[in-house]
Coordinates of all heavy atoms in Angstrom, one line a residue:
A96 N 7.3 -20.2 -6.0 CA 7.9 -21.3 -6.8 C 8.6 -20.8 -8.0 O 9.7 -21.2 -8.4 CB 6.9 -22.4 -7.1
I97 N 7.9 -19.9 -8.7 CA 8.4 -19.3 -9.9 C 9.7 -18.5 -9.6 O 10.7 -18.6 -10.3 CB 7.4 -18.4 -10.6 CG1 6.2 -19.3 -11.2 CG2 8.0 -17.6 -11.7 CD1 5.0 -18.5 -11.6
V98 N 9.6 -17.6 -8.6 CA 10.8 -16.8 -8.2 C 11.9 -17.7 -7.8 O 13.1 -17.4 -8.2 CB 10.4 -15.8 -7.1 CG1 11.6 -15.1 -6.5 CG2 9.4 -14.8 -7.6
N99 N 11.7 -18.8 -7.1 CA 12.7 -19.7 -6.7 C 13.4 -20.3 -7.9 O 14.6 -20.5 -7.9 CB 12.2 -20.8 -5.7 CG 11.8 -20.2 -4.3 OD1 12.3 -19.1 -4.0 ND2 11.0 -20.9 -3.6
A100 N 12.6 -20.7 -8.8 CA 13.2 -21.3 -10.0 C 14.1 -20.4 -10.8 O 15.2 -20.7 -11.2 CB 12.1 -21.8 -11.0
F101 N 13.7 -19.1 -10.9 CA 14.6 -18.1 -11.5 C 15.8 -17.8 -10.7 O 16.9 -17.5 -11.2 CB 13.8 -16.8 -11.8 CG 13.0 -16.9 -13.1 CD1 11.6 -17.2 -13.0 CD2 13.5 -16.9 -14.3 CE1 10.8 -17.3 -14.1 CE2 12.8 -17.0 -15.5 CZ 11.4 -17.2 -15.4
N102 N 15.6 -17.8 -9.3 CA 16.8 -17.6 -8.5 C 17.8 -18.7 -8.6 O 19.0 -18.5 -8.5 CB 16.3 -17.4 -7.0 CG 15.7 -16.0 -6.8 OD1 16.0 -15.1 -7.5 ND2 14.9 -15.9 -5.8
Q103 N 17.3 -19.9 -8.7 CA 18.2 -21.1 -8.8 C 19.0 -21.1 -10.2 O 20.1 -21.6 -10.3 CB 17.5 -22.4 -8.6 CG 17.0 -22.5 -7.2 CD 16.0 -23.7 -7.1 OE1 15.7 -24.4 -8.1 NE2 15.6 -24.0 -5.9
H104 N 18.4 -20.5 -11.2 CA 19.0 -20.5 -12.5 C 18.9 -19.1 -13.1 O 18.1 -18.8 -14.1 CB 18.2 -21.5 -13.5 CG 18.1 -22.8 -12.9 ND1 19.1 -23.7 -12.9 CD2 17.0 -23.5 -12.3 CE1 18.7 -24.9 -12.3 NE2 17.5 -24.7 -11.9
P105 N 19.7 -18.1 -12.5 CA 19.5 -16.7 -12.9 C 19.9 -16.4 -14.4 O 19.4 -15.5 -15.0 CB 20.4 -16.0 -12.0 CG 21.4 -17.0 -11.4 CD 20.7 -18.3 -11.5
D106 N 20.7 -17.3 -15.0 CA 21.2 -17.0 -16.4 C 20.3 -17.7 -17.4 O 20.6 -17.6 -18.6 CB 22.6 -17.4 -16.5 CG 23.5 -16.5 -15.6 OD1 23.2 -15.4 -15.4 OD2 24.6 -17.0 -15.2
Q107 N 19.4 -18.5 -17.0 CA 18.6 -19.4 -17.9 C 17.3 -18.7 -18.3 O 16.7 -18.1 -17.4 CB 18.3 -20.7 -17.3 CG 17.7 -21.7 -18.2 CD 17.6 -23.1 -17.6 OE1 18.2 -23.4 -16.6 NE2 16.8 -24.0 -18.2
E108 N 16.9 -18.8 -19.5 CA 15.7 -18.3 -20.0 C 14.6 -19.5 -19.9 O 15.0 -20.6 -20.2 CB 15.8 -17.9 -21.5 CG 16.7 -16.7 -21.7 CD 16.8 -16.4 -23.2 OE1 16.0 -16.9 -24.0 OE2 17.7 -15.5 -23.5
F109 N 13.4 -19.1 -19.6 CA 12.4 -20.1 -19.4 C 11.1 -19.7 -20.2 O 10.8 -18.5 -20.3 CB 11.9 -20.3 -18.0 CG 12.9 -21.0 -17.1 CD1 13.6 -20.2 -16.2 CD2 13.1 -22.3 -17.2 CE1 14.6 -20.9 -15.4 CE2 14.0 -23.0 -16.3 CZ 14.7 -22.2 -15.4
R110 N 10.4 -20.6 -20.8 CA 9.1 -20.4 -21.3 C 8.1 -20.9 -20.2 O 8.5 -21.7 -19.3 CB 8.9 -21.2 -22.6 CG 9.7 -20.7 -23.8 CD 9.3 -21.5 -25.0 NE 9.9 -20.9 -26.2 CZ 9.5 -19.9 -26.9 NH1 8.4 -19.3 -26.5 NH2 10.1 -19.4 -27.9
A111 N 6.9 -20.4 -20.3 CA 6.0 -20.8 -19.2 C 5.8 -22.3 -19.1 O 5.8 -22.9 -18.0 CB 4.6 -20.1 -19.5
R112 N 5.6 -23.0 -20.2 CA 5.4 -24.4 -20.2 C 6.6 -25.1 -19.6 O 6.5 -26.1 -18.9 CB 5.1 -24.9 -21.6 CG 4.7 -26.4 -21.6 CD 4.1 -26.8 -23.0 NE 3.0 -26.1 -23.4 CZ 1.8 -26.2 -23.0 NH1 1.5 -27.1 -22.1 NH2 0.8 -25.5 -23.5
E113 N 7.8 -24.7 -20.0 CA 9.1 -25.3 -19.4 C 9.1 -25.1 -17.9 O 9.5 -26.0 -17.2 CB 10.3 -24.6 -20.1 CG 10.5 -24.9 -21.5 CD 11.6 -24.0 -22.1 OE1 12.1 -23.1 -21.4 OE2 11.9 -24.1 -23.3
L114 N 8.7 -24.0 -17.5 CA 8.7 -23.7 -16.0 C 7.7 -24.7 -15.3 O 8.0 -25.2 -14.3 CB 8.2 -22.3 -15.8 CG 8.7 -21.5 -14.6 CD1 10.2 -21.6 -14.4 CD2 8.3 -20.1 -14.6
H115 N 6.6 -24.9 -15.9 CA 5.6 -25.8 -15.4 C 6.2 -27.2 -15.3 O 6.0 -27.9 -14.3 CB 4.3 -25.9 -16.2 CG 3.3 -24.9 -15.8 ND1 2.1 -25.3 -15.2 CD2 3.3 -23.5 -15.8 CE1 1.4 -24.2 -14.9 NE2 2.1 -23.1 -15.2
E116 N 6.8 -27.7 -16.3 CA 7.4 -29.0 -16.3 C 8.5 -29.1 -15.2 O 8.6 -30.1 -14.5 CB 8.0 -29.3 -17.7 CG 6.9 -29.5 -18.8 CD 7.5 -29.6 -20.2 OE1 8.7 -29.4 -20.4 OE2 6.7 -29.7 -21.1
R117 N 9.4 -28.1 -15.1 CA 10.4 -28.1 -14.1 C 9.9 -28.1 -12.7 O 10.4 -28.7 -11.8 CB 11.3 -26.8 -14.3 CG 12.4 -26.7 -13.3 CD 13.3 -25.5 -13.6 NE 14.1 -25.7 -14.8 CZ 15.3 -26.3 -14.8 NH1 15.8 -26.9 -13.7 NH2 16.0 -26.4 -15.9
L118 N 8.8 -27.4 -12.5 CA 8.2 -27.3 -11.2 C 7.2 -28.4 -10.9 O 6.6 -28.4 -9.8 CB 7.5 -25.9 -11.0 CG 8.5 -24.7 -11.1 CD1 7.7 -23.4 -11.0 CD2 9.5 -24.7 -10.0
G119 N 6.9 -29.2 -11.8 CA 5.9 -30.3 -11.6 C 4.5 -29.8 -11.5 O 3.7 -30.4 -10.9
M120 N 4.3 -28.7 -12.2 CA 2.9 -28.1 -12.2 C 2.1 -28.7 -13.4 O 2.7 -29.1 -14.4 CB 3.0 -26.6 -12.3 CG 3.7 -26.0 -11.1 SD 4.1 -24.2 -11.4 CE 2.6 -23.5 -11.0
P121 N 0.8 -28.6 -13.4 CA 0.0 -29.1 -14.5 C 0.4 -28.3 -15.8 O 0.6 -27.1 -15.7 CB -1.4 -28.8 -14.1 CG -1.4 -28.4 -12.7 CD 0.0 -28.1 -12.3
T122 N 0.4 -29.0 -16.9 CA 0.8 -28.4 -18.2 C -0.4 -28.2 -19.1 O -0.2 -27.9 -20.3 CB 1.9 -29.3 -18.9 OG1 1.4 -30.6 -19.1 CG2 3.2 -29.3 -18.1
D123 N -1.6 -28.2 -18.6 CA -2.7 -27.9 -19.4 C -2.7 -26.4 -19.8 O -2.1 -25.6 -19.1 CB -4.0 -28.3 -18.7 CG -4.2 -27.5 -17.4 OD1 -3.6 -27.9 -16.4 OD2 -5.0 -26.5 -17.4
E124 N -3.3 -26.1 -20.9 CA -3.2 -24.7 -21.4 C -3.7 -23.6 -20.4 O -3.1 -22.6 -20.3 CB -4.0 -24.6 -22.7 CG -3.7 -23.4 -23.5 CD -2.2 -23.3 -24.0 OE1 -1.6 -24.4 -24.1 OE2 -1.7 -22.2 -24.1
A125 N -4.8 -23.9 -19.7 CA -5.3 -22.9 -18.7 C -4.3 -22.6 -17.6 O -4.1 -21.4 -17.3 CB -6.6 -23.4 -18.1
A126 N -3.7 -23.6 -17.1 CA -2.7 -23.4 -16.0 C -1.5 -22.7 -16.5 O -0.9 -21.8 -15.9 CB -2.3 -24.8 -15.4

Side-chain angles (χ1 to χ4, degrees):
I97 292 168
V98 169
N99 289 342
F101 281 102
N102 283 337
Q103 290 171 358
H104 308 283
D106 297 330
Q107 187 172 347
E108 295 177 10
F109 290 105
R110 292 186 173 276
R112 188 169 302 281
E113 294 169 353
L114 208 53
H115 269 248
E116 291 168 358
R117 178 178 289 276
L118 297 174
M120 299 168 80
T122 56
D123 60 281
E124 197 59 31

